[in-house]
Amino acid sequence: MSTEFNELLPVSPVDKTQIWIIGTREQVLHTINEFYVKRIATDRVKFTPIVPAPFAAGKYMTVLER
């Protein structure tokens, strides 16, 4: 991953554990909902907004801050 992309992340990787979810938009939304139902994430606001993945054409991503 490039340094430029690391600088765009909203949190420092040393501060919190991150779970990256990458897939089609539907897969990402489904996984967010699954994490919420299974209480892996206590609140949906802990996920960053869904954005196009800069390193995979046609894929989207979000990051869960733990």
Side-chain angles (χ1 to χ4, degrees):
M1 188 176 319
S2 69
T3 304
E4 295 84 20
F5 187 67
N6 283 338
E7 292 171 358
L8 295 175
L9 291 173
V11 296
S12 172
V14 293
D15 292 341
K16 299 178 183 179
T17 301
Q18 298 177 349
I19 299 173
W20 289 45
I21 302 169
I22 303 166
T24 65
R25 188 169 187 82
E26 292 78 24
Q27 290 171 328
V28 172
L29 285 170
H30 177 76
T31 305
I32 289 172
N33 291 331
E34 184 178 2
F35 277 24
Y36 180 72
V37 168
K38 292 182 178 180
R39 300 190 188 274
I40 295 170
T42 56
D43 194 349
R44 287 185 174 96
V45 298
K46 295 194 181 253
F47 291 94
T48 60
I50 297 173
V51 295
F55 45 80
K59 300 291 182 177
Y60 291 85
M61 66 178 280
T62 186
V63 178
L64 169 62
E65 303 167 7
R66 302 243 9 228

Short mmCIF file of all heavy atoms in Angstrom, two decimals:
data_model
loop_
_atom_site.label_atom_id
_atom_site.label_comp_id
_atom_site.label_asym_id
_atom_site.label_seq_id
_atom_site.Cartn_x
_atom_site.Cartn_y
_atom_site.Cartn_z
N MET A 1 0.85 -1.17 0.00
CA MET A 1 0.00 0.00 0.00
C MET A 1 0.90 1.23 0.00
O MET A 1 1.95 1.25 0.62
CB MET A 1 -0.90 -0.02 1.22
CG MET A 1 -1.93 1.05 1.18
SD MET A 1 -3.09 1.02 2.53
CE MET A 1 -3.42 -0.70 2.73
N SER A 2 0.46 2.25 -0.69
CA SER A 2 1.29 3.43 -0.82
C SER A 2 1.19 4.33 0.41
O SER A 2 0.21 4.32 1.15
CB SER A 2 0.89 4.22 -2.07
OG SER A 2 -0.39 4.78 -1.86
N THR A 3 2.22 5.11 0.61
CA THR A 3 2.24 6.06 1.72
C THR A 3 1.13 7.09 1.58
O THR A 3 0.52 7.49 2.57
CB THR A 3 3.61 6.78 1.76
OG1 THR A 3 4.63 5.79 1.85
CG2 THR A 3 3.70 7.72 2.93
N GLU A 4 0.85 7.50 0.35
CA GLU A 4 -0.21 8.49 0.12
C GLU A 4 -1.56 7.98 0.62
O GLU A 4 -2.33 8.71 1.22
CB GLU A 4 -0.32 8.86 -1.36
CG GLU A 4 0.91 9.55 -1.92
CD GLU A 4 1.98 8.57 -2.36
OE1 GLU A 4 1.68 7.38 -2.59
OE2 GLU A 4 3.15 8.98 -2.43
N PHE A 5 -1.85 6.71 0.37
CA PHE A 5 -3.12 6.15 0.82
C PHE A 5 -3.15 6.04 2.34
O PHE A 5 -4.17 6.31 2.97
CB PHE A 5 -3.37 4.79 0.17
CG PHE A 5 -4.73 4.24 0.47
CD1 PHE A 5 -5.86 4.86 -0.03
CD2 PHE A 5 -4.89 3.14 1.27
CE1 PHE A 5 -7.13 4.37 0.26
CE2 PHE A 5 -6.14 2.64 1.57
CZ PHE A 5 -7.26 3.27 1.05
N ASN A 6 -2.06 5.65 2.96
CA ASN A 6 -2.00 5.57 4.41
C ASN A 6 -2.30 6.91 5.06
O ASN A 6 -2.93 6.98 6.10
CB ASN A 6 -0.63 5.08 4.88
CG ASN A 6 -0.46 3.60 4.71
OD1 ASN A 6 -1.43 2.86 4.64
ND2 ASN A 6 0.77 3.16 4.63
N GLU A 7 -1.86 7.99 4.43
CA GLU A 7 -2.09 9.33 4.98
C GLU A 7 -3.56 9.72 4.90
O GLU A 7 -4.02 10.58 5.64
CB GLU A 7 -1.23 10.35 4.25
CG GLU A 7 0.26 10.18 4.54
CD GLU A 7 1.14 11.04 3.66
OE1 GLU A 7 0.62 11.75 2.78
OE2 GLU A 7 2.37 10.99 3.84
N LEU A 8 -4.35 9.10 4.02
CA LEU A 8 -5.76 9.41 3.89
C LEU A 8 -6.63 8.69 4.93
O LEU A 8 -7.79 9.05 5.10
CB LEU A 8 -6.25 9.02 2.49
CG LEU A 8 -5.64 9.81 1.33
CD1 LEU A 8 -6.12 9.25 0.00
CD2 LEU A 8 -5.98 11.28 1.45
N LEU A 9 -6.08 7.70 5.61
CA LEU A 9 -6.87 6.97 6.60
C LEU A 9 -7.22 7.89 7.77
O LEU A 9 -6.40 8.67 8.22
CB LEU A 9 -6.09 5.76 7.13
CG LEU A 9 -5.88 4.64 6.12
CD1 LEU A 9 -4.97 3.58 6.70
CD2 LEU A 9 -7.21 4.02 5.73
N PRO A 10 -8.46 7.79 8.27
CA PRO A 10 -8.90 8.71 9.32
C PRO A 10 -8.29 8.44 10.70
O PRO A 10 -8.37 9.27 11.57
CB PRO A 10 -10.42 8.52 9.36
CG PRO A 10 -10.63 7.15 8.82
CD PRO A 10 -9.53 6.92 7.83
N VAL A 11 -7.71 7.27 10.92
CA VAL A 11 -7.11 6.97 12.22
C VAL A 11 -5.69 6.46 12.01
O VAL A 11 -5.36 5.92 10.97
CB VAL A 11 -7.91 5.90 13.00
CG1 VAL A 11 -9.29 6.40 13.35
CG2 VAL A 11 -8.00 4.61 12.24
N SER A 12 -4.89 6.64 13.01
CA SER A 12 -3.53 6.13 12.97
C SER A 12 -3.54 4.63 13.24
O SER A 12 -4.18 4.17 14.18
CB SER A 12 -2.70 6.86 14.02
OG SER A 12 -1.43 6.26 14.13
N PRO A 13 -2.81 3.84 12.46
CA PRO A 13 -2.81 2.40 12.67
C PRO A 13 -2.24 1.98 14.02
O PRO A 13 -2.51 0.90 14.49
CB PRO A 13 -1.98 1.85 11.52
CG PRO A 13 -1.38 2.99 10.83
CD PRO A 13 -2.04 4.25 11.31
N VAL A 14 -1.46 2.84 14.66
CA VAL A 14 -0.91 2.49 15.97
C VAL A 14 -1.91 2.73 17.09
O VAL A 14 -1.77 2.21 18.18
CB VAL A 14 0.41 3.24 16.26
CG1 VAL A 14 1.51 2.79 15.32
CG2 VAL A 14 0.22 4.73 16.19
N ASP A 15 -2.95 3.53 16.83
CA ASP A 15 -3.93 3.83 17.86
C ASP A 15 -4.96 2.74 18.07
O ASP A 15 -5.34 2.44 19.19
CB ASP A 15 -4.66 5.13 17.54
CG ASP A 15 -3.74 6.34 17.62
OD1 ASP A 15 -2.68 6.24 18.25
OD2 ASP A 15 -4.10 7.37 17.04
N LYS A 16 -5.45 2.15 17.00
CA LYS A 16 -6.55 1.20 17.09
C LYS A 16 -6.35 0.05 16.11
O LYS A 16 -5.70 0.20 15.08
CB LYS A 16 -7.87 1.90 16.75
CG LYS A 16 -8.22 3.02 17.68
CD LYS A 16 -9.52 3.67 17.25
CE LYS A 16 -9.83 4.85 18.15
NZ LYS A 16 -11.05 5.52 17.77
N THR A 17 -6.95 -1.07 16.44
CA THR A 17 -6.97 -2.20 15.51
C THR A 17 -7.98 -1.88 14.41
O THR A 17 -9.02 -1.29 14.67
CB THR A 17 -7.41 -3.47 16.24
OG1 THR A 17 -6.50 -3.72 17.30
CG2 THR A 17 -7.45 -4.66 15.31
N GLN A 18 -7.68 -2.29 13.20
CA GLN A 18 -8.57 -2.03 12.07
C GLN A 18 -8.91 -3.34 11.38
O GLN A 18 -8.07 -4.21 11.23
CB GLN A 18 -7.92 -1.10 11.06
CG GLN A 18 -7.60 0.26 11.59
CD GLN A 18 -6.88 1.11 10.55
OE1 GLN A 18 -6.46 0.63 9.51
NE2 GLN A 18 -6.74 2.38 10.85
N ILE A 19 -10.17 -3.46 10.97
CA ILE A 19 -10.61 -4.58 10.15
C ILE A 19 -11.06 -3.99 8.82
O ILE A 19 -11.99 -3.19 8.79
CB ILE A 19 -11.77 -5.35 10.82
CG1 ILE A 19 -11.30 -5.92 12.16
CG2 ILE A 19 -12.29 -6.45 9.90
CD1 ILE A 19 -12.41 -6.54 12.98
N TRP A 20 -10.41 -4.38 7.75
CA TRP A 20 -10.73 -3.86 6.42
C TRP A 20 -11.69 -4.83 5.75
O TRP A 20 -11.44 -6.03 5.72
CB TRP A 20 -9.47 -3.74 5.57
CG TRP A 20 -8.56 -2.64 6.02
CD1 TRP A 20 -8.19 -2.34 7.29
CD2 TRP A 20 -7.91 -1.70 5.18
NE1 TRP A 20 -7.34 -1.27 7.29
CE2 TRP A 20 -7.15 -0.85 6.01
CE3 TRP A 20 -7.89 -1.49 3.82
CZ2 TRP A 20 -6.38 0.19 5.51
CZ3 TRP A 20 -7.13 -0.45 3.32
CH2 TRP A 20 -6.38 0.37 4.16
N ILE A 21 -12.77 -4.30 5.21
CA ILE A 21 -13.77 -5.11 4.50
C ILE A 21 -13.76 -4.64 3.05
O ILE A 21 -14.03 -3.47 2.78
CB ILE A 21 -15.16 -4.95 5.13
CG1 ILE A 21 -15.11 -5.35 6.60
CG2 ILE A 21 -16.19 -5.77 4.36
CD1 ILE A 21 -16.36 -4.99 7.37
N ILE A 22 -13.45 -5.55 2.15
CA ILE A 22 -13.33 -5.22 0.73
C ILE A 22 -14.15 -6.22 -0.08
O ILE A 22 -14.08 -7.42 0.16
CB ILE A 22 -11.85 -5.26 0.28
CG1 ILE A 22 -11.01 -4.31 1.14
CG2 ILE A 22 -11.72 -4.95 -1.20
CD1 ILE A 22 -9.53 -4.51 1.03
N GLY A 23 -14.95 -5.71 -1.00
CA GLY A 23 -15.76 -6.58 -1.86
C GLY A 23 -16.69 -5.74 -2.69
O GLY A 23 -16.53 -4.53 -2.82
N THR A 24 -17.71 -6.39 -3.26
CA THR A 24 -18.71 -5.61 -3.98
C THR A 24 -19.47 -4.77 -2.95
O THR A 24 -19.41 -5.03 -1.75
CB THR A 24 -19.71 -6.53 -4.71
OG1 THR A 24 -20.44 -7.28 -3.74
CG2 THR A 24 -19.01 -7.45 -5.69
N ARG A 25 -20.20 -3.80 -3.41
CA ARG A 25 -20.96 -2.94 -2.50
C ARG A 25 -21.93 -3.76 -1.64
O ARG A 25 -22.05 -3.55 -0.45
CB ARG A 25 -21.69 -1.85 -3.28
CG ARG A 25 -22.33 -0.80 -2.42
CD ARG A 25 -22.80 0.37 -3.29
NE ARG A 25 -23.26 1.45 -2.47
CZ ARG A 25 -22.50 2.36 -1.87
NH1 ARG A 25 -21.21 2.31 -2.02
NH2 ARG A 25 -23.03 3.31 -1.14
N GLU A 26 -22.60 -4.72 -2.27
CA GLU A 26 -23.55 -5.57 -1.55
C GLU A 26 -22.85 -6.43 -0.50
O GLU A 26 -23.36 -6.61 0.60
CB GLU A 26 -24.33 -6.45 -2.54
CG GLU A 26 -25.27 -5.68 -3.45
CD GLU A 26 -24.54 -4.98 -4.60
OE1 GLU A 26 -23.43 -5.42 -4.98
OE2 GLU A 26 -25.08 -3.98 -5.10
N GLN A 27 -21.68 -6.97 -0.84
CA GLN A 27 -20.93 -7.78 0.12
C GLN A 27 -20.49 -6.95 1.32
O GLN A 27 -20.56 -7.41 2.46
CB GLN A 27 -19.69 -8.40 -0.55
CG GLN A 27 -20.00 -9.47 -1.56
CD GLN A 27 -18.77 -9.87 -2.35
OE1 GLN A 27 -17.88 -9.06 -2.61
NE2 GLN A 27 -18.72 -11.14 -2.75
N VAL A 28 -20.03 -5.74 1.05
CA VAL A 28 -19.58 -4.87 2.14
C VAL A 28 -20.75 -4.51 3.05
O VAL A 28 -20.64 -4.60 4.28
CB VAL A 28 -18.89 -3.60 1.57
CG1 VAL A 28 -18.59 -2.59 2.67
CG2 VAL A 28 -17.61 -3.97 0.84
N LEU A 29 -21.89 -4.14 2.47
CA LEU A 29 -23.07 -3.82 3.29
C LEU A 29 -23.53 -5.02 4.10
O LEU A 29 -23.87 -4.90 5.28
CB LEU A 29 -24.20 -3.32 2.40
CG LEU A 29 -24.06 -1.90 1.88
CD1 LEU A 29 -25.12 -1.61 0.82
CD2 LEU A 29 -24.15 -0.91 3.01
N HIS A 30 -23.53 -6.19 3.48
CA HIS A 30 -23.94 -7.41 4.18
C HIS A 30 -23.00 -7.69 5.36
O HIS A 30 -23.45 -8.04 6.46
CB HIS A 30 -23.96 -8.59 3.22
CG HIS A 30 -24.31 -9.88 3.89
ND1 HIS A 30 -25.59 -10.20 4.27
CD2 HIS A 30 -23.53 -10.93 4.27
CE1 HIS A 30 -25.58 -11.39 4.85
NE2 HIS A 30 -24.34 -11.84 4.86
N THR A 31 -21.71 -7.54 5.15
CA THR A 31 -20.73 -7.80 6.21
C THR A 31 -20.86 -6.79 7.34
O THR A 31 -20.76 -7.16 8.52
CB THR A 31 -19.31 -7.81 5.64
OG1 THR A 31 -19.25 -8.77 4.57
CG2 THR A 31 -18.29 -8.19 6.69
N ILE A 32 -21.10 -5.53 7.01
CA ILE A 32 -21.33 -4.52 8.05
C ILE A 32 -22.53 -4.93 8.90
O ILE A 32 -22.46 -4.91 10.14
CB ILE A 32 -21.56 -3.13 7.43
CG1 ILE A 32 -20.25 -2.58 6.86
CG2 ILE A 32 -22.14 -2.16 8.46
CD1 ILE A 32 -20.41 -1.30 6.06
N ASN A 33 -23.62 -5.30 8.26
CA ASN A 33 -24.82 -5.73 8.99
C ASN A 33 -24.55 -6.98 9.83
O ASN A 33 -25.00 -7.08 10.97
CB ASN A 33 -25.98 -5.97 8.04
CG ASN A 33 -26.49 -4.69 7.42
OD1 ASN A 33 -26.40 -3.62 8.02
ND2 ASN A 33 -27.00 -4.78 6.21
N GLU A 34 -23.81 -7.92 9.28
CA GLU A 34 -23.48 -9.15 10.00
C GLU A 34 -22.63 -8.86 11.24
O GLU A 34 -22.87 -9.40 12.31
CB GLU A 34 -22.73 -10.10 9.06
CG GLU A 34 -22.43 -11.44 9.66
CD GLU A 34 -21.72 -12.36 8.67
OE1 GLU A 34 -21.44 -11.94 7.54
OE2 GLU A 34 -21.45 -13.50 9.06
N PHE A 35 -21.64 -7.98 11.10
CA PHE A 35 -20.80 -7.61 12.25
C PHE A 35 -21.63 -6.93 13.33
O PHE A 35 -21.39 -7.14 14.52
CB PHE A 35 -19.68 -6.68 11.81
CG PHE A 35 -18.48 -7.37 11.22
CD1 PHE A 35 -18.57 -8.64 10.66
CD2 PHE A 35 -17.25 -6.75 11.22
CE1 PHE A 35 -17.46 -9.27 10.12
CE2 PHE A 35 -16.13 -7.37 10.70
CZ PHE A 35 -16.23 -8.63 10.14
N TYR A 36 -22.61 -6.13 12.92
CA TYR A 36 -23.46 -5.44 13.89
C TYR A 36 -24.37 -6.44 14.61
O TYR A 36 -24.49 -6.40 15.84
CB TYR A 36 -24.28 -4.36 13.19
CG TYR A 36 -25.18 -3.60 14.13
CD1 TYR A 36 -24.66 -2.69 15.03
CD2 TYR A 36 -26.55 -3.78 14.10
CE1 TYR A 36 -25.48 -1.99 15.90
CE2 TYR A 36 -27.38 -3.09 14.96
CZ TYR A 36 -26.84 -2.20 15.86
OH TYR A 36 -27.65 -1.51 16.72
N VAL A 37 -24.99 -7.35 13.88
CA VAL A 37 -25.89 -8.34 14.48
C VAL A 37 -25.13 -9.27 15.43
O VAL A 37 -25.61 -9.60 16.51
CB VAL A 37 -26.62 -9.14 13.38
CG1 VAL A 37 -27.34 -10.35 13.95
CG2 VAL A 37 -27.60 -8.24 12.65
N LYS A 38 -23.93 -9.67 15.03
CA LYS A 38 -23.12 -10.57 15.87
C LYS A 38 -22.37 -9.83 16.98
O LYS A 38 -21.60 -10.43 17.70
CB LYS A 38 -22.13 -11.34 15.00
CG LYS A 38 -22.80 -12.33 14.08
CD LYS A 38 -21.79 -13.10 13.27
CE LYS A 38 -22.49 -14.13 12.40
NZ LYS A 38 -21.54 -14.91 11.61
N ARG A 39 -22.58 -8.51 17.06
CA ARG A 39 -21.98 -7.65 18.08
C ARG A 39 -20.45 -7.60 18.01
O ARG A 39 -19.78 -7.39 19.01
CB ARG A 39 -22.45 -8.04 19.46
CG ARG A 39 -23.94 -7.91 19.62
CD ARG A 39 -24.35 -8.07 21.06
NE ARG A 39 -25.80 -8.14 21.19
CZ ARG A 39 -26.59 -7.09 21.28
NH1 ARG A 39 -26.10 -5.89 21.24
NH2 ARG A 39 -27.90 -7.25 21.40
N ILE A 40 -19.91 -7.81 16.82
CA ILE A 40 -18.48 -7.58 16.61
C ILE A 40 -18.23 -6.07 16.61
O ILE A 40 -17.24 -5.59 17.13
CB ILE A 40 -18.01 -8.23 15.29
CG1 ILE A 40 -18.16 -9.75 15.40
CG2 ILE A 40 -16.58 -7.84 14.96
CD1 ILE A 40 -17.96 -10.49 14.11
N ALA A 41 -19.18 -5.34 16.04
CA ALA A 41 -19.18 -3.88 16.07
C ALA A 41 -20.41 -3.45 16.85
O ALA A 41 -21.53 -3.86 16.54
CB ALA A 41 -19.23 -3.31 14.66
N THR A 42 -20.22 -2.64 17.88
CA THR A 42 -21.34 -2.24 18.73
C THR A 42 -22.17 -1.12 18.13
O THR A 42 -23.28 -0.87 18.57
CB THR A 42 -20.82 -1.78 20.11
OG1 THR A 42 -19.86 -0.73 19.92
CG2 THR A 42 -20.16 -2.95 20.84
N ASP A 43 -21.63 -0.45 17.11
CA ASP A 43 -22.35 0.66 16.48
C ASP A 43 -21.88 0.79 15.04
O ASP A 43 -20.68 0.64 14.76
CB ASP A 43 -22.08 1.95 17.25
CG ASP A 43 -23.04 3.07 16.89
OD1 ASP A 43 -23.79 2.93 15.90
OD2 ASP A 43 -23.04 4.07 17.60
N ARG A 44 -22.79 1.07 14.14
CA ARG A 44 -22.42 1.21 12.72
C ARG A 44 -21.54 2.42 12.45
O ARG A 44 -20.88 2.47 11.42
CB ARG A 44 -23.68 1.24 11.87
CG ARG A 44 -24.35 -0.11 11.75
CD ARG A 44 -25.54 -0.07 10.80
NE ARG A 44 -26.09 -1.38 10.59
CZ ARG A 44 -27.12 -1.87 11.26
NH1 ARG A 44 -27.70 -1.13 12.18
NH2 ARG A 44 -27.56 -3.09 11.02
N VAL A 45 -21.52 3.39 13.34
CA VAL A 45 -20.67 4.57 13.12
C VAL A 45 -19.19 4.25 13.30
O VAL A 45 -18.35 5.07 12.96
CB VAL A 45 -21.06 5.75 14.02
CG1 VAL A 45 -22.47 6.21 13.75
CG2 VAL A 45 -20.86 5.44 15.48
N LYS A 46 -18.87 3.07 13.78
CA LYS A 46 -17.47 2.66 13.91
C LYS A 46 -16.87 2.29 12.55
O LYS A 46 -15.67 2.11 12.44
CB LYS A 46 -17.33 1.51 14.89
CG LYS A 46 -17.72 1.92 16.30
CD LYS A 46 -17.25 0.92 17.30
CE LYS A 46 -17.68 1.35 18.68
NZ LYS A 46 -16.59 1.82 19.47
N PHE A 47 -17.72 2.15 11.53
CA PHE A 47 -17.25 1.88 10.17
C PHE A 47 -17.02 3.20 9.44
O PHE A 47 -17.81 4.13 9.58
CB PHE A 47 -18.28 1.06 9.39
CG PHE A 47 -18.45 -0.35 9.89
CD1 PHE A 47 -19.44 -0.66 10.81
CD2 PHE A 47 -17.63 -1.36 9.42
CE1 PHE A 47 -19.61 -1.95 11.26
CE2 PHE A 47 -17.80 -2.67 9.87
CZ PHE A 47 -18.79 -2.96 10.80
N THR A 48 -15.96 3.25 8.66
CA THR A 48 -15.77 4.42 7.81
C THR A 48 -16.79 4.35 6.67
O THR A 48 -17.33 3.27 6.39
CB THR A 48 -14.34 4.45 7.23
OG1 THR A 48 -14.12 3.27 6.45
CG2 THR A 48 -13.29 4.55 8.33
N PRO A 49 -17.04 5.46 6.00
CA PRO A 49 -17.97 5.41 4.85
C PRO A 49 -17.46 4.43 3.79
O PRO A 49 -16.26 4.24 3.63
CB PRO A 49 -17.96 6.84 4.32
CG PRO A 49 -17.52 7.68 5.47
CD PRO A 49 -16.59 6.81 6.28
N ILE A 50 -18.40 3.83 3.08
CA ILE A 50 -18.04 2.90 2.00
C ILE A 50 -17.53 3.73 0.82
O ILE A 50 -18.20 4.65 0.36
CB ILE A 50 -19.25 2.06 1.57
CG1 ILE A 50 -19.71 1.19 2.75
CG2 ILE A 50 -18.91 1.19 0.36
CD1 ILE A 50 -20.99 0.43 2.49
N VAL A 51 -16.32 3.39 0.36
CA VAL A 51 -15.70 4.11 -0.75
C VAL A 51 -15.17 3.11 -1.76
O VAL A 51 -14.90 1.95 -1.41
CB VAL A 51 -14.53 5.01 -0.25
CG1 VAL A 51 -15.05 6.11 0.66
CG2 VAL A 51 -13.47 4.20 0.44
N PRO A 52 -15.00 3.53 -3.02
CA PRO A 52 -14.38 2.63 -4.00
C PRO A 52 -12.95 2.29 -3.55
O PRO A 52 -12.21 3.16 -3.09
CB PRO A 52 -14.36 3.45 -5.28
CG PRO A 52 -15.43 4.48 -5.09
CD PRO A 52 -15.45 4.78 -3.62
N ALA A 53 -12.60 1.03 -3.64
CA ALA A 53 -11.24 0.61 -3.28
C ALA A 53 -10.26 1.12 -4.32
O ALA A 53 -10.42 0.82 -5.51
CB ALA A 53 -11.17 -0.90 -3.16
N PRO A 54 -9.26 1.89 -3.92
CA PRO A 54 -8.33 2.47 -4.91
C PRO A 54 -7.40 1.45 -5.53
O PRO A 54 -6.77 1.73 -6.54
CB PRO A 54 -7.54 3.50 -4.08
CG PRO A 54 -7.64 3.02 -2.69
CD PRO A 54 -8.96 2.32 -2.57
N PHE A 55 -7.33 0.26 -4.98
CA PHE A 55 -6.38 -0.75 -5.46
C PHE A 55 -7.07 -1.93 -6.13
O PHE A 55 -6.41 -2.86 -6.55
CB PHE A 55 -5.53 -1.25 -4.30
CG PHE A 55 -6.32 -1.56 -3.06
CD1 PHE A 55 -7.02 -2.73 -2.94
CD2 PHE A 55 -6.40 -0.62 -2.05
CE1 PHE A 55 -7.77 -3.00 -1.82
CE2 PHE A 55 -7.14 -0.88 -0.91
CZ PHE A 55 -7.83 -2.07 -0.80
N ALA A 56 -8.42 -1.90 -6.23
CA ALA A 56 -9.15 -3.01 -6.86
C ALA A 56 -10.34 -2.44 -7.64
O ALA A 56 -11.29 -1.94 -7.05
CB ALA A 56 -9.64 -3.99 -5.79
N ALA A 57 -10.26 -2.53 -8.94
CA ALA A 57 -11.32 -1.98 -9.79
C ALA A 57 -12.64 -2.69 -9.54
O ALA A 57 -12.70 -3.92 -9.43
CB ALA A 57 -10.92 -2.14 -11.26
N GLY A 58 -13.71 -1.92 -9.37
CA GLY A 58 -15.04 -2.47 -9.18
C GLY A 58 -15.34 -2.94 -7.77
O GLY A 58 -16.39 -3.49 -7.51
N LYS A 59 -14.41 -2.74 -6.85
CA LYS A 59 -14.60 -3.16 -5.47
C LYS A 59 -14.76 -1.93 -4.57
O LYS A 59 -14.32 -0.84 -4.90
CB LYS A 59 -13.41 -3.99 -4.97
CG LYS A 59 -13.17 -5.25 -5.76
CD LYS A 59 -14.25 -6.25 -5.52
CE LYS A 59 -13.94 -7.53 -6.30
NZ LYS A 59 -14.89 -8.57 -6.07
N TYR A 60 -15.39 -2.15 -3.44
CA TYR A 60 -15.61 -1.10 -2.45
C TYR A 60 -14.99 -1.54 -1.13
O TYR A 60 -14.70 -2.72 -0.94
CB TYR A 60 -17.10 -0.83 -2.27
CG TYR A 60 -17.71 -0.21 -3.49
CD1 TYR A 60 -18.15 -0.99 -4.55
CD2 TYR A 60 -17.85 1.17 -3.59
CE1 TYR A 60 -18.69 -0.42 -5.68
CE2 TYR A 60 -18.40 1.75 -4.72
CZ TYR A 60 -18.82 0.95 -5.77
OH TYR A 60 -19.36 1.52 -6.87
N MET A 61 -14.80 -0.58 -0.24
CA MET A 61 -14.19 -0.93 1.04
C MET A 61 -14.70 -0.04 2.17
O MET A 61 -15.21 1.04 1.94
CB MET A 61 -12.68 -0.82 0.95
CG MET A 61 -12.16 0.60 0.75
SD MET A 61 -10.38 0.71 0.72
CE MET A 61 -10.04 0.65 2.45
N THR A 62 -14.58 -0.55 3.36
CA THR A 62 -14.82 0.20 4.58
C THR A 62 -13.83 -0.33 5.61
O THR A 62 -13.25 -1.41 5.43
CB THR A 62 -16.27 0.04 5.09
OG1 THR A 62 -16.47 0.89 6.20
CG2 THR A 62 -16.57 -1.38 5.49
N VAL A 63 -13.61 0.44 6.65
CA VAL A 63 -12.70 0.03 7.71
C VAL A 63 -13.47 0.10 9.02
O VAL A 63 -14.15 1.09 9.30
CB VAL A 63 -11.46 0.95 7.76
CG1 VAL A 63 -10.54 0.56 8.92
CG2 VAL A 63 -10.71 0.92 6.45
N LEU A 64 -13.37 -0.96 9.81
CA LEU A 64 -13.96 -0.98 11.14
C LEU A 64 -12.87 -0.63 12.13
O LEU A 64 -11.82 -1.27 12.18
CB LEU A 64 -14.54 -2.36 11.48
CG LEU A 64 -14.95 -2.60 12.92
CD1 LEU A 64 -16.07 -1.65 13.33
CD2 LEU A 64 -15.37 -4.05 13.13
N GLU A 65 -13.10 0.42 12.89
CA GLU A 65 -12.15 0.83 13.92
C GLU A 65 -12.55 0.16 15.23
O GLU A 65 -13.66 0.32 15.68
CB GLU A 65 -12.18 2.35 14.09
CG GLU A 65 -11.90 3.11 12.83
CD GLU A 65 -12.25 4.57 12.95
OE1 GLU A 65 -12.59 5.02 14.07
OE2 GLU A 65 -12.17 5.27 11.95
N ARG A 66 -11.65 -0.60 15.82
CA ARG A 66 -11.98 -1.31 17.06
C ARG A 66 -11.30 -0.65 18.23
O ARG A 66 -10.29 -0.11 18.16
CB ARG A 66 -11.53 -2.76 16.97
CG ARG A 66 -12.16 -3.45 15.80
CD ARG A 66 -13.06 -4.59 15.95
NE ARG A 66 -13.53 -4.98 17.22
CZ ARG A 66 -13.52 -6.21 17.68
NH1 ARG A 66 -13.02 -7.16 16.94
NH2 ARG A 66 -14.03 -6.51 18.83
#
